[in-house]
């Protein structure tokens, strides 16, 4: 099974890494595809985001990190992907992912999406929570906080911001 | 029953048309009211959006298309509407429509909203999905994709964009 | 528009009456159809439940009360109904009604269901809440409680139980 | 990937078959495991239910049908399964499956569940809808109805009931 | 603040204990009230269930355990309670608790309910999950499994069943 | 119990006031904390929003109004708060508040959030509904409408806008 895990990863969190490790065990190859052109101004560039992922996933030999732009469906067809995988932390996430799964199945002519329930330990961690905390300037505890939410390499970079 | 179906219709989709046809069968007259001043910059002007609707609904003699601005509740009272109709594709849509129905009932002093469940065939089609696909520039398959989501007259215009 | 409002009405509540009055204003005729053979043992017989409804709705000339058994879809076709109407108090209700609407549309070959959001005043009132309160024997306040949940004629009968 | 798709399948529906076919394409082997001892009295015995599945899935060489009793987690460990797969038709289904996925991951010490969104065409079809329609005795249209919900072999058997 | 935490506790789980400890820190006194007459046949009697709670909560001096029957609202009024507290593990739980909170506020003439989000660690643990696992006879791993879901005193008793 | 009720209050609504009054009855002291730096451009400045609250809550001796910026968790720790309280009007609100409760519990090292279900009377009233109505220029009925949604002092100010 040749799988694709797309996302913005702005930035990658410990929750992402947990799902990616679990997904990698089930696939022959897993491509982690970083969305190059998100609608909102990202915190990190696509190249930075991909570098954080590469650094954090290097212990998984069947995982590779890529950057894509344009339609996910086109990328999936071009890369000859068998299935898309996404993590779901809550019913709210599910509502979004259900729509996406149906749209992408239509646009690709049949590539399905498999959803994986996040470990409850990471349920409250999201890239947007990280960005929101960062935007509330001035906490001295930021580094400690981020250390529990993102990989060390990202926490270091967030410290600089 | 004199009914009102308000919306942004940016652009009208095959899902809208399906609901509008089903609603028209139940009403004496159905006014499709295009929101003239949406908060976000629309893809098409209100006049263009209304024209697409008029073109697509001309086989329904009891339907007329109008453009409104300001408060929907004021428009409904001014037009002497008996009931508002809206389509719902998912629980997520329902969450939004429930709030709107309660607000509009309050603001109009009693005009109710009737919700109609979308055909599952159109469940994953939305104006925002169309706009999102369009914003991911460069697919050669755009025209084919849009042909399954919007009426032909809209697909032609999207091709130009 | 010839409408059908099906239900168990075991017993009819003030919430039901509110929705039925609002629905009746929108229809040419409204048939309130009492399910004769619910899966669970009902509190009141179908004849009693229909009598409570008849008593409570006699001020609405275009409403009639009936009892049906078997498949709702068959009843709707036999009675030449244009549309089914149901009330929704919450997303939880919506989840159930969406499935029913899709099933009944399939079984009837096209009869749609219109959903109407309950007045928030009646949001917490349900037949099952009435039955649950009744089953907790022994409150002296039962009559007062039920007077705020069901029509007087039903509250009287509940007092006897 | 050695996958397990557990369920009651009472009876198997066209929705089940669609998900099972899509899942089978992604797995090396797929075991469809029929729950032998459901809490409610089933419509068909476990052996009948398994036979319907075997008949309906014989064109898929990497699928086998089995009956299990006891804890799903024990069965999954005994059979050396890599992953559990389940279909989800709605947020309501998701709510149930999320809990099950977390429980089974805990009980197995790490076997994950992958959720697959049902085709919208089968969204309103469920075993319980079939059973509910059957329990409303007397429709002459039953056979036609069931032909659109279950495989022919099951529709024939339902006709006899 | 004199608080009441009602429930069936059949049996008490580690998730219950976590919420009760967190709630106890916020209240002057916390009464844990065991529902004496649940609609379904319980696994343990009300006296047993209360004993498990007493045993497990003895380190909390401001907590007392009681058994009640009849209407929760009547009990709350009789005991002069300021507020009801309940735990919520998911949106599904919330749907149920919202209705209950509204009903109990009505029945008591103003006693509110405060909802507390469960620790994600206990999100998948529920009394019904324990009962379901128990009903799937025959796992040798039962004791290990239950040790992670319920207090030791309950796990011992479950072993005997 | 020293409680904190944070929010944007842009502007304070009758729904906010109802929840705040109910919460104040349960706490020793209640701090209403106005978010000074919301991500979107607010309708009123933090000072104005706090003044509306102070004016509207002056009959509650144990309530004080404050403005905070930065991380809510830091503010809660600095102020030595026991618990955070928030109102919930719907499952949609719950989805958001559950995530926030988990994040804030993590960031504070244990400060819990208690959720209180809004009175159904105020279920459809929100600050964003007020802002949306205001942005649809030109209704002569604005003042009447706002009088049912916000305190008189706010309705006066909205009239000027």
């Amino acid at each position: 099974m040749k799988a694709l895990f797309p996302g913005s990863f702005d930035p990658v969190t410990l929750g992402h890494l947990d799902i990616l490790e679990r997904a990698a065990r089930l696939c022959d190859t897993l491509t982690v595809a970083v969305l190059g052109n998100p609608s909102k101004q990202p915190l990190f560039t696509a190249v930075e985001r991909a570098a954080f992922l590469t650094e954090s996933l290097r212990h998984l030999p069947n995982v590779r990190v890529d950057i894509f732009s344009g339609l996910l469906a086109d990328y999936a067809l071009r890369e000859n992907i068998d299935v898309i995988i996404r993590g779901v932390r809550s019913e709210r996430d599910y509502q979004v992912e259900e729509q996406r799964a149906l749209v992408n199945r239509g646009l690709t002519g049949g590539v399905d999406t498999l959803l994986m329930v996040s470990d409850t330990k990471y349920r409250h961690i999201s890239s947007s929570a990280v960005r929101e905390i960062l935007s509330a300037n001035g906490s001295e505890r930021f580094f400690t906080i981020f250390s529990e939410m993102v990989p060390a390499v990202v926490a270091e970079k967030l410290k600089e911001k």
Side-chain angles (χ1 to χ4, degrees), chain A residues 51-63 65:
Chain A
F52 294 150
L53 280 160
T54 304
E55 168 83 15
S56 308
L57 297 167
R58 63 166 54 152
H59 59 297
L60 300 174
N62 63 333
V63 173
V65 178

Side-chain angles (χ1 to χ4, degrees), chain A residues 59-122:
Chain A
H59 59 297
L60 300 174
N62 63 333
V63 173
R64 84 188 177 92
V65 178
D66 194 11
I67 296 174
F68 79 103
S69 58
L71 222 45
L72 176 66
D74 286 337
Y75 178 79
L77 290 176
R78 209 159 55 227
E79 296 286 316
N80 232 351
I81 289 298
D82 294 319
V83 76
I84 297 166
I85 302 187
R86 290 281 293 164
V88 181
R89 284 163 310 162
S90 65
E91 288 149 50
R92 205 181 170 201
D93 277 5
Y94 176 75
Q95 294 176 327
V96 175
E97 296 301 335
E98 188 195 271
Q99 290 298 105
R100 283 185 187 162
L102 292 172
V103 168
N104 283 320
R105 197 172 169 232
L107 295 182
T108 53
V111 175
D112 273 309
T113 298
L114 294 171
L115 302 177
M116 216 165 173
V117 177
S118 295
D119 191 300
T120 54
K121 197 160 58 198
Y122 302 110

